[in-house]
């Protein structure tokens, strides 16, 4: 007998429909699974055998061939356990049902319980796109799967429930959620607020501009000046997630196995340790998984003590910073993960941290200071729009009882600037904020006249800017003008942008 069941695999952040074919014949009893399975898929034989027997059903002792199509897609993980088990039972006529519009995923325990699997959201999207009507998922994946509208999600806890459903012995009600309600129900509480940070007005202004235009920031200052605190408070002034953004982030976290069966409601904040490898930061592996740059998609990647990171780990940031995505190439093909994040980095001015600090003596030699700063390459530094000095906080700032501006107040200004950009770019596909502007857009959206153009010509020659550096100043000035509510970029906007670019 032959049975055919639909399941799903993953390729990057997309789900790929996998057809599970089970053939039983009267040859010498045996088991063969084909279709580029990994070790986790091959081991499904033992899990499926025990689950079927311990659920009170008959395991077919025949020559069994399991084919996972398409054959050129590598199959990974235990999510194929449930469709393989159902295929065995359908091929041995212990299940009699029309399975042509149903997709199944789930890992089986030896007693027949069904465990959660990774990547269910992109799988649900793939099932809907393929025209399937029903998606059977583990109970622990139900919220994630039900985010997708237009397909019936049936959560199950064990194999016996699935068999009883297909045999018409019981019914499973479709599970539904409202993702918009889940998103709006989040109260947007953040661990850190800008009102908790005394002083550092210049740094707060720089981060406000960064949030308004999705620009990258490098903060430099002595230990204890508040760089890490500023970075951790930065997400609190970012605009709330839209539903589309939340779904895209949720897909990435689902694939990476970092989702707790719910939609992502906050912009991600990733802060890897400086010992992280290039593969971990960019993504990869034999079955490529998202790295830190993708886990920070639509959020913040914070690199504390930037010069302490491995040089290779820093250099691989170039492509995602420039393109908003990262492409991982393997012999079998290339996989692209989205990585549209804001980089917030911090560093000390020298190895001891006190170069230029009037309150502490620096013990570093000029050569040590140059070598320390030289750990960050010119091409990487060229991709950072804002470089700001964060001086040590003095006693007056700490004891100042005047209320500091809250993150909510700053976020309102950021939202107004983002709204201006949304309206400006409404006819530009894939363009949402100023940091995404390409050179071809600059004449239209960052046009300069007379004195402003002469000013930038002088700055270009004085600072010996690259074309990228010049364009990034224009984009930064565009954001400053948006915060100011001005359509035209003025001299004040350019001057502030140049100051951030030069680190002065």
């Amino acid at each position: 007998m032959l049975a055919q069941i639909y399941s799903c695999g993953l390729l990057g952040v997309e789900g790929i429909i996998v057809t599970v074919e089970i053939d039983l014949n009267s040859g010498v009893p045996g088991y063969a699974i084909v279709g580029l399975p990994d070790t986790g898929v091959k081991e499904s034989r033992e899990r499926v055998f025990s689950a079927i027997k311990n659920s009170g059903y008959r395991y077919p002792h025949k020559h069994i061939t399991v084919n996972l199509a398409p054959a050129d897609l590598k199959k990974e993980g235990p999510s194929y356990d449930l469709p393989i088990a159902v295929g065995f039972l359908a091929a041995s006529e212990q299940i009699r049902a029309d399975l042509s519009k149903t997709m199944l995923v789930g890992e089986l325990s030896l007693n027949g319980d069904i465990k959660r699997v990774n990547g269910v959201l992109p799988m649900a999207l793939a099932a809907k796109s393929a025209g399937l009507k029903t998606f059977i998922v583990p109970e622990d994946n139900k919220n994630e799967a039900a985010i997708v509208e237009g397909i019936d999600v049936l959560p199950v806890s064990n194999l016996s429930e699935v068999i009883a459903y297909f045999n018409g012995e019981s019914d499973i009600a479709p599970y539904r959620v409202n993702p918009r309600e889940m998103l709006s129900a989040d109260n947007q509480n953040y661990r850190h607020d800008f009102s908790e940070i005394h002083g550092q007005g210049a740094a707060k202004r720089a981060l406000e501009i960064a949030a308004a235009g999705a620009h990258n920031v490098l903060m430099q200052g002595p230990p204890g000046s508040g760089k890490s605190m500023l970075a951790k408070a930065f997400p609190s002034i970012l605009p709330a997630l839209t539903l589309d953004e939340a779904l895209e982030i949720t897909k990435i976290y689902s694939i990476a196995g970092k989702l707790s069966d719910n939609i992502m409601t906050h912009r991600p904040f990733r802060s890897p340790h400086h010992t992280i490898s290039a593969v971990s930061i960019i993504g990869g592996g034999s079955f490529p998984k998202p790295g830190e740059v993708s886990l920070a998609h639509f959020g913040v990647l914070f690199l504390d003590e930037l010069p302490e990171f491995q040089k290779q780990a820093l250099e691989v940031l170039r492509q995602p910073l420039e393109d908003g995505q990262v492409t991982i190439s393997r012999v079998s093909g290339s996989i692209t993960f989205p990585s549209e994040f804001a980089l917030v980095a911090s560093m000390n001015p020298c190895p001891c941290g006190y170069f230029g600090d009037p309150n502490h003596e620096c013990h570093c030699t000029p050569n040590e200071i140059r070598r320390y700063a030289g750990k960050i390459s010119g091409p990487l530094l060229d991709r950072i729009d804002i470089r700001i000095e964060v001086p040590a906080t003095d006693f007056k700032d700490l004891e100042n009882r005047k209320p500091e501006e809250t993150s909510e107040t700053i976020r309102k200004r950021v939202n107004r600037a983002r709204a201006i950009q949304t309206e400006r770019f409404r006819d530009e596909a894939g363009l949402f904020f100023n940091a995404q502007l390409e050179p071809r857009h600059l004449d239209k959206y960052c046009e300069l006249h007379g004195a402003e153009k002469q000013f930038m010509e002088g700055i270009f020659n004085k600072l010996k800017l690259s074309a990228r550096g010049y364009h990034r100043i224009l984009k930064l000035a565009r954001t400053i003008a948006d915060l100011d509510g001005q359509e035209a970029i003025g001299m004040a906007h350019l001057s502030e942008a140049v100051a951030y670019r030069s680190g002065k």
Side-chain angles (χ1 to χ4, degrees), residues 18-87:
V18 172
T19 304
V20 181
E21 297 176 323
I22 311 291
D23 179 59
L24 308 181
N25 61 60
S26 55
V28 177
Y31 181 94
I33 182 167
V34 296
L36 291 183
D38 76 342
T39 302
V41 179
K42 291 177 181 177
E43 290 175 347
S44 65
R45 171 187 176 180
E46 308 305 325
R47 293 191 295 271
V48 169
F49 173 82
S50 296
I52 290 176
K53 296 287 285 184
N54 290 327
S55 297
Y57 295 89
R58 174 174 48 86
Y59 187 87
H61 290 286
K62 295 190 176 186
H63 184 81
I64 303 169
T65 303
V66 180
N67 179 44
L68 306 177
D72 59 349
L73 174 70
K74 288 186 177 181
K75 318 303 186 304
E76 176 192 12
S79 61
Y80 300 101
D81 288 3
L82 181 58
I84 289 174
V86 171

Side-chain angles (χ1 to χ4, degrees), residues 400-448:
N400 184 7
R401 299 305 177 190
K402 181 181 177 182
E404 296 283 347
E405 198 171 31
T406 65
S407 291
E408 183 180 2
T409 301
I410 299 172
R411 188 166 62 245
K412 288 178 180 177
R413 294 197 296 267
V414 169
N415 286 336
R416 284 196 294 269
R418 286 286 185 102
I420 291 171
Q421 293 166 57
T422 299
E423 176 62 23
R424 177 186 297 130
F425 304 137
R426 66 183 184 278
D427 297 325
E428 300 279 0
L431 190 58
F432 304 103
F433 33 78
N434 292 329
Q436 293 177 311
L437 286 168
E438 299 287 344
R440 68 179 185 274
H441 298 126
L442 296 181
D443 287 342
K444 181 178 180 181
Y445 298 117
C446 301
E447 186 179 7
L448 300 182

Side-chain angles (χ1 to χ4, degrees), residues 299-330:
V300 180
L301 178 64
F302 175 46
L303 301 184
D304 198 10
E305 305 295 347
L306 188 65
E308 302 300 331
F309 283 77
Q310 300 176 30
K311 186 174 182 63
Q312 186 181 6
L314 293 180
E315 293 308 305
V316 296
L317 290 172
R318 293 191 199 179
Q319 184 200 6
L321 283 174
E322 194 71 19
D323 301 335
Q325 61 184 26
V326 57
T327 300
I328 300 169
S329 297
R330 294 289 181 267

